[in-house]
Structures are given as structure tokens and as C-alpha cells.
Amino acid sequence: MIGKIDRDILLAHARTIASSGGKAVPEGATELSDLEVCGAAEITAMTRAAAERDGGVLVSSGGTTGTPKLTYLPHHMAFDRLLPVWRPLGVGDVVLNLYDAGRMWGTHYFVQKLAERTESTVIPSGPMTAEELELRLPMLREVGVTALASVPSVLADFAEMVLKTGVKPPVKTIIWMGEAWTESKRELVRQAFPDVQLWGIYGSVETWAMGSNRPGCDETTLHLLADEIFELEDAGALLTRAGEGWTVPVVRYRLGDRIEATRCRCGRGDAFRVLGRADDGFGLLGNYVNIADIVDSARQCPDVVDAQLVLVRDNDLADSARSMTVEYTGTAAPEAVRTWLTGSNVRLGTVDSQHPEAISARRVDRLRRIARTNKTPGAVWQDALGSGS
Ligand SMILES: [Zn+2]
């Protein structure tokens, strides 16, 4: 468990939210573990009840492959909780907001609100193609952009264009969330902007910000905000938070992510690391493998920069693939990458010995992105005929 909330406060809090759409508190409950785990339906009900009083913004997560999870986000976006420990911008700053607007996603509006609350200036650009960015870089330098906000995939693209053109806005701050860094993306950003300071948020559309990372922290480590608890479980961590000012006051909400407790070089407490999705596995011809494990392993292969799995769905079995192609950037030869993976992962080795045709590797110039968010997913599923999903 990470974080701490007084037991009496916690139980009183659970009773309060039970009366506005949360799960009922069982008779005789005395501990957090006596309370029921809640899910997306409770979040929708609780935030909807609050929005009937104060209004809000209706946002959604997922929806690409499953049913969208709806959340009514209060207009204050919980910035009073966040700004005392996480304040990346100030008066005089100009932030380029590269997050995509609309589509019921929240991050673009988070950055707009952050600028408003810190009295800085914001450019609501949204994502740009490489051509658009090349064209606009001189303007961005001219207006003095001091901060960039986006997912690491897009920040790396931005850095690459700055290195290519030599046109460099005076960026000193980078705000990231929505995706984890990879070594190669962080390196590109450091090369383009050597003294830049990184400020990160860990959150979800349903729960909004839960943890923060700031200069002085290890770059893969986050700190839980005050009055929150994470229960660490293999099926995904559970979030509980009490007190005023949150976007959603929640008891034992199952996050899809696996999380581990850690220490941070900054010395602040309640540090954690996100290990990946809890439901990140799939069957490959009868062998259960984990997407993050394979991608991590591929990234460690000599001369591979980054990697992603392209999986051909097995229509007869849920969460199963008939074949897997590792697409990667870098200079390694496909056969070397394939050999590396089947040699370093026991289950892939088993698949290889029985169905060698089911595993392949392909060098690409650029990994695939999710259109809605510009994130680089660990895996992309395709139907047998080759149409993407
Ligand atoms: Zn830290």
C-alpha cells in the first residue's frame, strides 16, 4: 500500500459517496479492505450527480475497441490539489499545447486550465504534421515558446525537427503525461534542449491526476498526491482518495495499471512506478505472453531504438493472436531481432520451435500511432485480412 488516510475519515468518506452513487458500505466495515471495489459505472454515477449541481465537462476514456467509460469532469479540474506540489509554469511562460482537442479527451483542456491557473500564456495548437511544424518553428521561436506539453512520442518528434532545422524556440520546460518515456525519446529531447526540465503527471481520464513527477525526481518515478492511497494488486492497483477538491472522490477504484512502490532520489515520499497494463497479455498459439515484456526486450536488442508488436487476431479465441510481427526502428537486421527475442523469452522460444512462421521482425522508419491521442501503443491488432484496429 502507498499513501495514508485516517481510518475514521476514510469510512465516513465511503458512507458519504455511497449516498451519491458509490458502493454501499458493508455492515461492520472497519478497514479499507472491508469496502467493495468500484468500477467505471460508479465513477460515472458519482460524477454525474456532482455535475447536476455544479456543471462539468463530459469526457471519456477508451472507446477505440471497447465501450467508452464516461466521467463528468468538474470545471476546476482539481488544480488546488495539484498546484502546491506541481507548478511547471508561471507568469511570463508561453506553453505550446500539442495535445489533441475535442474527441472527449481531457489532456488538451488540462493544459489550457493549467495556463489559466498559473497566469501563463498558452498556444492551443494541437498536434502538427512534420511539414506544419517545420513551417511554424520560426513563429514559435519568435513568440518565445518556453514550454511544450504533449505525449513523449510527439515531444520526440518536435525535438527531431528542432535538431534537423536548427530553429530552436527557448524551451526550458516540458510537460508530459498520457504515455511513458522511452530512453530514445528522452535522449532526443535532451539533445535538442539540453537544460530542459521535465514535469510529468500520472492520471487517467476517469480519475484525473493521481501522481506527479518534477525536476529532481527520477524520470520514471511519480509521487502520489496527498490524501490518496494505492493498494497494489496484480490485477491493477486500487485508488482511494478522501477530502475536498478532487475531480472524483473515489473508494477502491480499479485502475488498469500495475504499480510498484519505489524510492525517488528527490527524497519525497509515496513514490511509485507504473509497470504497465494489468491486462497486457495475449495468447500466441497457445502460449500466454506479455506485450510490455516483449517490447522491453526488443528495445534492449543491440541497434534497436524502439519497437512495437503487430498482432494478427485469432478470431476463434479471445485475446489471442495467430502471428506476431515485431516492428522496430534502428539499424539492426530483422533476423537478429527475431533471434534475440526468441532466445530471451522462453514462451516465444516455445512458439518458435513449433510455429516458426508465427514470429517475424520488420524494420520500419516510424512506429504506428493511435490517431486520437498520438500515443505509440505497445501493440497494434489486425484482422487476418490485414485491416488495422
Ligand atoms: Zn521524486
Side-chain angles (χ1 to χ4, degrees), residues 9-33:
I9 291 174
L10 184 72
L11 290 169
H13 166 67
R15 290 197 178 91
T16 307
I17 65 174
S19 64
S20 58
K23 293 260 192 192
V25 176
E27 197 82 26
T30 58
E31 302 280 347
L32 182 58
S33 55

Side-chain angles (χ1 to χ4, degrees), residues 260-343:
E260 73 174 8
T262 185
R263 285 170 180 277
C264 185
R265 66 175 179 220
C266 77
R268 284 193 295 154
D270 297 334
F272 66 93
R273 215 183 345 247
V274 183
L275 301 176
R277 299 292 299 171
D279 56 359
D280 199 17
F282 67 98
L284 182 61
L285 299 165
N287 289 271
Y288 195 76
V289 290
N290 184 279
I291 293 169
D293 287 351
I294 300 174
V295 170
D296 278 351
S297 170
R299 283 184 187 139
Q300 285 160 26
C301 177
D303 302 320
V304 167
V305 175
D306 204 354
Q308 180 176 61
L309 310 184
V310 178
L311 306 172
V312 176
R313 200 184 302 283
D314 184 336
N315 291 323
D316 301 328
L317 285 170
D319 301 322
S320 290
R322 286 185 197 176
S323 69
M324 173 189 99
T325 301
V326 180
E327 293 194 340
Y328 64 93
T329 53
T331 57
E335 199 45 42
V337 175
R338 193 184 176 289
T339 306
W340 174 273
L341 285 173
T342 53

Side-chain angles (χ1 to χ4, degrees), residues 189-203:
V189 165
R190 292 252 182 249
Q191 239 181 299
F193 307 107
D195 301 319
V196 80
Q197 300 208 299
L198 304 184
W199 295 77
I201 289 291
Y202 172 65

Side-chain angles (χ1 to χ4, degrees), residues 118-262:
T118 55
E119 298 172 69
S120 49
T121 298
V122 61
I123 306 175
S125 139
M128 288 184 255
T129 63
E131 294 72 33
E132 287 169 335
L133 177 56
E134 185 163 8
L135 219 59
R136 289 177 197 171
L137 264 182
M139 179 272 283
L140 298 174
R141 183 172 63 181
E142 179 72 19
V143 300
V145 167
T146 61
L148 306 177
S150 196
V151 288
S153 290
V154 171
L155 294 166
D157 289 348
F158 193 100
E160 207 168 7
M161 186 57 76
V162 165
L163 292 168
K164 182 185 145 196
T165 59
V167 181
K168 183 166 141 179
V171 172
K172 57 187 175 61
T173 302
I174 278 182
I175 297 164
W176 60 275
M177 64 197 141
E179 186 183 51
W181 286 101
T182 64
E183 198 67 43
S184 60
K185 286 173 191 161
R186 205 164 41 215
E187 266 314 299
L188 263 176
V189 165
R190 292 252 182 249
Q191 239 181 299
F193 307 107
D195 301 319
V196 80
Q197 300 208 299
L198 304 184
W199 295 77
I201 289 291
Y202 172 65
S204 72
V205 173
E206 308 95 275
T207 62
W208 217 236
M210 293 176 272
S212 69
N213 169 285
R214 62 189 194 194
C217 287
D218 292 312
E219 284 159 355
T220 54
T221 300
L222 295 125
H223 298 269
L224 205 59
L225 298 174
D227 302 330
E228 288 185 316
I229 288 176
F230 272 167
E231 292 170 81
L232 308 179
E233 297 192 355
D234 286 343
L238 300 173
L239 170 72
T240 297
R241 56 167 56 141
E244 297 298 314
W246 297 108
T247 58
V248 54
V250 74
V251 170
R252 306 197 87 198
Y253 174 67
R254 174 89 62 200
L255 303 165
D257 289 335
R258 281 179 302 128
I259 285 169
E260 73 174 8
T262 185

